Structure formats: C-alpha cells, structure tokens
Amino acid sequence: MSVAALDPAREGRGDFDWSARFSRFAVYAVLVFAALVFLVPLMSMVFTSLKDMDEIRGGNLLAPPAEVTFSAWVKAWSEACISVQCDGLAPYFINSLLIVVPAVIISVGLGALNGYVLTMWRFPGADWVFAGLLFGCFIPFQIVLIPMARMLGIMGLAGSIPGVVFVHIVYGIGFTTLFFRNYYASVPKELVKAASVDGAGFWGTWWHILMPISWPIVTVAVIWQFTGVWNDFLFGVSFSSGGSQPVTVALNNLVNTSTGVKEYNVDMAGAMISAFPTLFVYVVAGRFFLRGLMSGAVKG
Amino acid sequence: MTTLAVENLKKNFGSTQVLKDIDMEIGTGDFLVLVGPSGCGKSTLLNVIAGLEKQTAGQVMIAGRDVSNLQPKERDIAMVFQSYALYPSMTVERNIGFSLEMAGVDKAVRAERIREVAELLKIKDLLKRRPSQLSGGQRQRVAMGRALVREPQVFLFDEPLSNLDAKLRVDMRIEIKKLHQRLGATIVYVTHDQIEAMTMATKIAVMKDGIIQQFGGPKDIYDRPSNTFVATFMGSPAMNLLSGVARKAGSEWVVDHGSQQVAVPRHIDVSALREGQEVLLGIRPEAVHLTAEVAHDDRIDQVWEFERVIDVTEPTGPATLALFEIDGTEFHASLSGDAVVEAGHSYAFTADLAKALVFDALSEQRIAHVDEAGASEADQAA
Ligand SMILES: Nc1ncnc2c1ncn2[C@@H]1O[C@H](COP(=O)(O)OP(=O)(O)OP(=O)(O)O)[C@@H](O)[C@H]1O
Ligand SMILES: [Mg+2]
C-alpha cells in the first residue's frame, strides 16, 4: 500500500496534493535514515576488515580501503591466536556446525512430531503436555544453568559438543512444538481421516500427507532454531570447554585476547565470519517460503 | 445378501448420547440415504461404520464379518468426505492411487486402475494436476475416484455434494446414481437434501436425536411416514398437519377441527380410532388444488372442499405455492404453475384425500392403513 493511499479522502482531488507528497517524502526520509543507522557500522566493518593495520591507524573509520587486502580474513579464519592456540576461528566454526546441525534437525523433527500428535492424535491430558512445553519456552536461560550443568555431569556430557547439542534440543522443543501445533491446527482433520481410510498409519500419514505441506513452518522453525543455536553464547560458554567451544565463544576470546596490538581488521573479519551462516540460512531458507501449499485440500 | 449390518449401536461423547441403539441392515447394491436434521448423528454413524470413531456399544458387520474392532483400512470400505479432503501436495493421479500405494500394489497395476477410474469419471486430462488447480466439481470427481479405485464392499459418502452449486449438484446427483446403477455398489450416503434422498435412495433412514425414526424405501417413507417427524421432514413444502378430534358421525368417522369436519379417508383403519381422540390430519401441499382447476371427470372421490383467503403466493415456475391459514394453522398448497391466484383474495380449494394421513396427536404415530391392519408396520417396511 502506498503512503498516499492511507488517506483515501485526499485522493481524487483535482489539484496537486502537496500534503500527500510531503508525508510520503517524510516516511522515506525516516526509512533511509534508519537504514543508514544500520548500514554505516556494517560498511565500516567491511572496510576495516579489508585494510591493513597501517591504514587503520592512519585513516578514517568510514573511508574505503586504499588498498584491498584479504589478509585479515585469512588470519581470522586460520591463523589468529585464541587463548593459546593459533589456528584461527576455523576449528570453532566447525564446532558450531557440529552443534547447530544436529540440534536444529532433531529439535525441528521432534517439534513436528509433537505438533502432529497434539493436533491429530489427541490423548487425554494432551492440553497439559502442551501447556508444559509452552511453559518451557518462557524459562530464562540463566535459571537452568546450574541444574543443567549438574544434569550434563551426571549424563557424562559435560564440556562436550553432544552436551551443548542436548541443551539446545531441550530448549528448542518448546518453541518448535508451538510452531507445528499451531500450524497443524489449521490443517483439516478430514485429511488425516481420509489417509487413515486409505490405509496410511501413524507414520505414513505424517510423512506422506502432513510433511509435504509443512515446508512453510519447517522453514520458520529452522530459521528460528538455527539463529538461536548459532548465535548462542551463554550455553556455549557454560557447557563447552576448550576444544568444543562454539564460534561465538571463540570470537569473544579472539577479540579479548590482551597480548600484542589490537588487530581491528582481524576482529571485524572474525565477527563477519561468525555472522555469515545465519545470513546464509535466511537467504536460502527464504526461498522455501512457498505460499498456498494447503490450497485445494478442501472446497474452493 | 446383507452387506452392511449395524446392531444395537450406541455412541456417547462423554456423557452425551449421540447414537442410541441404531439397528439396520442393507443388502448388496443398496443405496442407503441417511437424512435428518443437523446434529442428529449422521456423520457420527458414518464415522463409526468407517472405524474413524469407536462405538460405545454394539456391532458393525460388513459382508458377514464383524469389523467393530478393526482399523478403517481393514474394513473394506471407502469414504468420500464433505470437504473432499484431497491431499494437497499430491497430483490427482497419486491422490487416486494413494490407497493402492499404501496397500503395496504394484506400480503398473496401480496405473491401470487409476486409468480405468479416471475414464469412468471423465477426469483423464486432470491426472497430472494438483487439487488446487481444480474446480469444485472436478475435486468432487477426484474424491469419488479415490473411493472407486479400491472396489470396497461399502462406499460411505458424507454430504459429498453440499459444497457444489445448485446446477452442478443436480448433475453430480445423476452421475452418482448412474454410477451406482452401473457398478451395483453398496452405498451409505448422508445428506441434508431430501430431494437427493428421494431421488437416489433405494432405502432411506430418517434420523432424529440419534434414533432412526423410520427405515424403508423412498416411497414408503413419503407415502407412509411412521410419525409426524418423518412426515414433515420429507417433502417440501412440508406436509400440512391439521389438529382435530376424531368423532363418529353415523357410520362415518370425521376429523373435527372446529369450523369444519373432514371425513376420515377410507384407507385409514378406523378401528384404531377412539371417539374424542386428539388427531392430526396430514395433507401434502401437492394434494391441494384450486377447485376451479379440478376437472369434473377427475377420479377424485374423497375430497375436502373449503374456501380461504391466500396470505402469500410464491411462484416457483413449475408450481405456485399458496400459503393460508386454517384455524390458526399455516397451510401450504402447491398449485399448478399456471394457476392465477393473488394474495388477499379468497379461492375455493379442493384437497384430495386419497393419500391423506391421520396421526395420533399425543404419540405422533401414524394411524395404520386398512391394508396394514394386523400386519405390523415393521413387516410392511421390509
Ligand atoms: N468429537 C465429538 N465430541 C463431542 N460431541 C460430538 C463430537 N462429534 C460430534 N459430536 C456431537 O454429536 C452430535 C452429532 O454430530 P454429527 O456430526 O454426527 O451430526 P450430523 O447429523 O452429521 O450433523 P450435520 O448434518 O450438521 O453434519 C452433535 O450434537 C455433535 O455436537
Ligand atoms: Mg455431518
């Protein structure tokens, strides 16, 4: 909707509508300003990461690099010293991948299954189970840190990647269940009845009938979980140790390393490397936001 | 041969009794229509037969087999849902073949069956499409195809035409009837529409509050409804019911309803009447004519003639409906389409009593006909 259309009474007047013009201009001005507020720091980051230290020390923070160099990126990726090791962010980046992939797949899968059971195969007390899961969504992370650390210790997962994965799955199930339950609640029950008459069982109905129409909500759940898990710092710093730390924790250590000079270009490159996967997921997953997947199931 | 039998079936949802002691039996090739007002339990009955809901008590037998505790897929039934419930992610082809796919039928055999069904339903050109790319009528056909492909013992239809527009509904009604005649399939069909019920059924079950009020052929149900509920439910406009008192005038019985007395038609078994009994005289709107239009040589020998001022007329094309009042009761007459009548004017009417019915006002049960005397109503219906 265009801004001018917000006030239909103004339209249709013969003379030139200065007031509509002005309000449109004002809105764009605000939007451009807001965009700049976000883009200028990003631009500064990109520029800084492409400069060498001499140029940074001598030049303007907002000026483009006089000479483009990728050495800071290379250093951040594979050479920078984090704590005592000097292998860059790469090993921690891989840790993060090892955490995020199973955590997202398992929590989204379980959420879909929960949503399916809670809507289509309702059992006595289903509402209480759902209420319990929902409640789990609202427990602040900080409260569970110590009990969770104890749990992981008992399970023998303390300080390991599987331990961090486990925590993320447990925390994610509440949200993913909520997403899928609400989505499946809008799916006609007759679809499931029809499948059951056609001979599809519990799993067959889920796999053949519901999953193919679940892509919009799978996308939402994956983006939500991926961003949450990848950007997590608290669980990572609490439940992992040394070699199993995720990239967010490593980035923090990289930036806070106090020895030697502060290499702003390496810090900036490292920050962007750490942020890149979430950006990637948004762009790729956004394509799966297909509309109207459910249309045609029931009458026009 | 009995294909479907339902015995002493009860279904409760919590403390609500939705089905109360349903008993019925239909043979191979029967087309049973379940009719009844909204909420009377038609869909519930169908779901219990399909195995989608578990009965509280009683049995469902299909082809001589007790299927009461079997899964839907093991019952040898197919169902067409009111909303069609086509699988949105699958092509028409896969929608139709899905049950065979689940049963592990060989791909080539499947394709052949799908082709046959598509030909039968004239949807061969639609096989590659998805449900969202189909019109309402086409979706309806696909939903039928999904049922037909299985060749089950019993087809269950839950108001399959109620989402279609009037014209398409009539077309599909005829097609379903043709299909039934051609395949000799056994069908249980739920509908709100009593025209559908009358035109398609070989057997009709009229339900109310979880009880079958009457079970019988369409003609039985229409001409000899067992009570006032069935009498007024089937037929549009509904049968007129005039309240009165049964009296014996000489050797003749009459229904005395205040201003007038109407002779009890000869086909009514008067031995069941008592002097002073409160009764309802049932006359269908189409049995009422303008006296001016009744030809003298007509063989209408039992008539009731009266004059009334018409309150409202409703020309429908083939008929003109006239509404007036008789002693405070609304009365409908379905006159010929050419009848020239105007609201506010008085006309002479002749009601043909050859098919008039008498009900006991208290029990609302119909007083038996002479030819039914002795024989019970149940035997008549069967
Ligand atoms: N799952 C359920 N839980 C509780 N009550 C139910 C349930 N399903 C149906 N009912 C009740 O059972 C009664 C019969 O419902 P049913 O759907 O069989 O009616 P129907 O005859 O098919 O009506 P309609 O013509 O409107 O489709 C209704 O009063 C309904 O509220
Ligand atoms: Mg229903």
Side-chain angles (χ1 to χ4, degrees), chain A residues 188 190-201 204 208-209 212-213 292-300, chain B residues 47 52 72-73 77-79 81-83 85-90 94 98-99 101-102 131-132 139 146 150 163:
Chain A
E190 288 194 343
L191 273 186
V192 174
K193 287 190 183 179
S196 136
V197 170
D198 275 348
H208 292 292
I209 314 296
I213 56 174
L293 276 173
M294 220 138 61
S295 63
V298 297
K299 48 128 184 179
Chain B
N47 284 338
L52 294 167
K73 63 173 175 183
I77 47 127
M79 191 152 172
F81 295 88
Q82 176 170 359
S83 66
L86 301 181
Y87 309 128
S89 61
M90 302 180 190
R94 190 153 176 241
F98 188 67
S99 58
E101 188 182 327
M102 287 294 105
S132 56
R139 283 177 202 175
R146 210 165 56 173
R150 314 191 31 197
N163 287 326

Side-chain angles (χ1 to χ4, degrees), chain A residues 49-295:
Chain A
S49 74
L50 296 174
K51 295 173 183 172
D52 61 21
M53 278 313 287
D54 287 341
E55 197 181 343
I56 294 171
R57 267 191 293 269
N60 181 345
L61 200 61
L62 294 176
E67 202 176 327
V68 172
T69 165
F70 288 98
S71 61
W73 286 78
V74 173
K75 186 164 185 193
W77 178 248
S78 57
E79 292 159 14
C81 292
I82 295 160
S83 338
V84 289
Q85 280 182 321
C86 293
D87 296 330
L89 288 172
Y92 303 97
F93 191 91
I94 290 169
N95 283 348
S96 271
L97 282 179
L98 290 178
I99 292 169
V100 82
V101 171
V104 168
I105 291 176
I106 296 175
S107 63
V108 171
L110 286 177
L113 204 55
N114 282 347
Y116 171 54
V117 173
L118 287 171
T119 48
M120 304 299 177
W121 299 81
R122 295 184 54 80
F123 52 92
D127 284 332
W128 288 104
V129 171
F130 182 57
L133 284 167
L134 211 54
F135 183 68
C137 297
F138 298 112
I139 300 174
F141 285 7
Q142 289 78 359
I143 291 181
V144 300
L145 285 183
I146 291 172
M148 186 57 90
R150 183 106 182 80
M151 277 281 293
L152 291 178
I154 293 170
M155 293 164 67
L157 295 176
S160 70
I161 287 180
V164 180
V165 170
F166 177 77
V167 176
H168 281 300
I169 291 173
V170 169
Y171 237 102
I173 282 177
F175 287 99
T176 53
T177 301
L178 175 67
F179 292 151
F180 280 94
R181 196 204 84 115
N182 289 355
Y183 185 76
Y184 288 154
S186 68
V187 174
K189 302 271 175 300
E190 288 194 343
L191 273 186
V192 174
K193 287 190 183 179
S196 136
V197 170
D198 275 348
F202 178 86
W203 297 104
T205 305
W206 187 50
W207 186 249
H208 292 292
I209 314 296
L210 284 172
M211 279 323 271
I213 56 174
S214 299
W215 288 113
I217 201 67
V218 168
T219 310
V220 169
V222 164
I223 289 180
W224 174 272
Q225 278 300 92
F226 190 97
T227 345
V229 174
W230 187 274
N231 289 342
D232 161 70
F233 179 76
L234 187 62
F235 286 159
V237 82
S238 312
F239 301 130
S240 65
S241 60
S244 67
Q245 283 174 338
V247 73
T248 43
V249 176
L251 178 66
N252 177 63
N253 295 346
L254 170 77
V255 174
N256 287 340
T257 302
S258 48
T259 54
V261 275
K262 198 131 196 72
E263 293 177 298
Y264 291 108
N265 51 355
V266 176
D267 292 352
M268 297 299 174
M272 280 187 284
I273 287 172
S274 310
F276 176 73
T278 40
L279 196 67
F280 176 78
V281 164
Y282 269 100
V283 172
V284 171
R287 291 173 192 272
F288 286 99
F289 264 116
L290 298 180
R291 283 166 187 278
L293 276 173
M294 220 138 61
S295 63

